[in-house]
Amino acid sequence: MYTRPTCPICGAVLDQMDFPKHGVCELCGKEYHSNYICPNGHRTCNPCRTKNAFEEAKKLCLETKSKNPIDIAEKIMNLPDFSVFGCRHYFVVPMALLTAFKNCGGKIRNFESVLDHILINTQLYPSSLCRIGGICGIPMCCGVCIRELDAKYFRDEKDLVKLENALSVRCMRSILKYYVIGNEGCCKDHIYACLYEGAKFLNDYFWIEVEMPEKIICKYWKHNPYDNCTDCHFYRGVKPVICEVVEKN
């Protein structure tokens, strides 16, 4: 499992720069800005670097019958072309949540096209957003899955936009909930936090209770060379509560 993204041309691990560099992609010919630079001089844009991982993830989502977004997300992150860090993580939460939503009986029209829309929309967010802007791109991308649900779930366009924003905000707050002083967290930690909050959101607003494991335990901590993983909540295990029971007096 690679720590950082790799070059799709030569397979070398990419160097991460503090400031985006401009270039013309050798694969698609489009201009781009990116923080990741190939040590062998190859120039590739973020969409071309994530294409293979997305196609494998898309195939997995179309075939799986799992109703558990944690299980689906881990299968995606276990793909050979998936790095420990990087913008590949942007599409994981929307894909995992919508796949579980559909498999639990939720209404989604043309699911294959929906998955393609997720890639297009999440690629609007620049890579290394956490490094250059101080904010994680993963929760910001979570709201894109709401627009792909069947129109019958929404009263009007304002209702749709409100729920899109609400999900992204709740996912951002969930990351802060599991934040540990001295431990900045990582892409995997943020994925788990957003999936947990996203599952609760689906239950709250759409009455679809997806399946969750008894505990959410990170399986990737040993691949993270930067953080004090033993302080991470998901290293120890977090018990998810999707439908909370209200006790009557």
Side-chain angles (χ1 to χ4, degrees):
M1 183 177 289
Y2 297 112
T3 299
R4 295 194 303 274
T6 56
C7 175
I9 296 177
C10 66
V13 176
L14 301 179
D15 296 324
Q16 189 174 19
M17 314 298 289
D18 288 329
F19 298 97
K21 301 291 185 181
H22 175 267
V24 177
C25 180
E26 297 178 25
L27 297 178
C28 67
K30 296 180 180 179
E31 294 186 2
Y32 71 93
H33 288 82
S34 177
N35 289 69
Y36 289 107
I37 307 297
C38 174
N40 297 321
H42 296 122
R43 299 181 178 182
T44 53
C45 62
N46 292 332
C48 286
R49 288 200 299 271
T50 59
K51 183 178 180 180
N52 290 338
F54 172 77
E55 290 300 328
E56 290 298 316
K58 175 183 174 181
K59 181 180 178 182
L60 188 153
C61 290
L62 290 172
E63 294 177 352
T64 185
K65 302 299 181 183
S66 176
K67 300 178 181 179
N68 185 328
I70 300 293
D71 172 62
I72 297 169
E74 289 180 341
K75 288 178 179 177
I76 294 174
M77 293 188 290
N78 287 340
L79 293 171
D81 199 33
F82 217 93
S83 56
V84 174
F85 305 115
C87 61
R88 286 171 173 83
H89 292 80
Y90 286 1
F91 58 71
V92 174
V93 174
M95 290 181 76
L97 286 176
L98 285 186
T99 301
F101 182 86
K102 176 184 71 71
N103 291 342
C104 287
K107 302 299 182 183
I108 299 177
R109 296 179 180 176
N110 197 343
F111 186 57
E112 185 172 359
S113 296
V114 163
L115 296 177
D116 291 330
H117 293 164
I118 288 175
L119 177 64
I120 294 171
N121 290 331
T122 55
Q123 284 179 344
L124 296 175
Y125 296 88
S127 62
S128 301
L129 197 58
C130 56
R131 183 164 182 170
I132 63 177
I135 186 170
C136 178
I138 294 173
M140 296 176 66
C141 292
C142 291
V144 305
C145 67
I146 298 299
R147 186 166 291 272
E148 303 302 335
L149 301 182
D150 194 291
K152 75 171 189 176
Y153 288 114
F154 312 103
R155 293 189 297 270
D156 50 34
E157 181 70 16
K158 289 183 179 179
D159 188 40
L160 169 60
V161 173
K162 180 183 71 174
L163 291 177
E164 282 181 317
N165 292 334
L167 177 55
S168 291
V169 170
R170 283 177 57 163
C171 286
M172 182 62 71
R173 291 176 63 185
S174 73
I175 289 177
L176 296 177
K177 178 180 178 181
Y178 297 107
Y179 180 82
V180 177
I181 295 177
N183 181 6
E184 297 179 358
C186 67
C187 294
K188 309 300 186 188
D189 169 45
H190 295 179
I191 287 286
Y192 284 125
C194 291
L195 285 170
Y196 182 5
E197 194 63 38
K200 290 197 293 183
F201 190 89
L202 293 179
N203 183 71
D204 290 345
Y205 289 96
F206 303 102
W207 295 92
I208 294 291
E209 188 173 343
V210 300
E211 295 178 0
M212 294 289 274
E214 292 184 4
K215 271 192 174 183
I216 303 175
I217 302 176
C218 180
K219 299 177 175 64
Y220 307 96
W221 59 270
K222 60 184 177 182
H223 300 290
N224 186 346
Y226 301 115
D227 294 327
N228 183 8
C229 300
T230 56
D231 289 335
C232 174
H233 290 274
F234 294 101
Y235 170 83
R236 301 191 297 270
V238 174
K239 184 177 181 180
V241 180
I242 302 304
C243 187
E244 299 183 12
V245 177
V246 179
E247 295 184 1
K248 296 182 179 180
N249 295 328

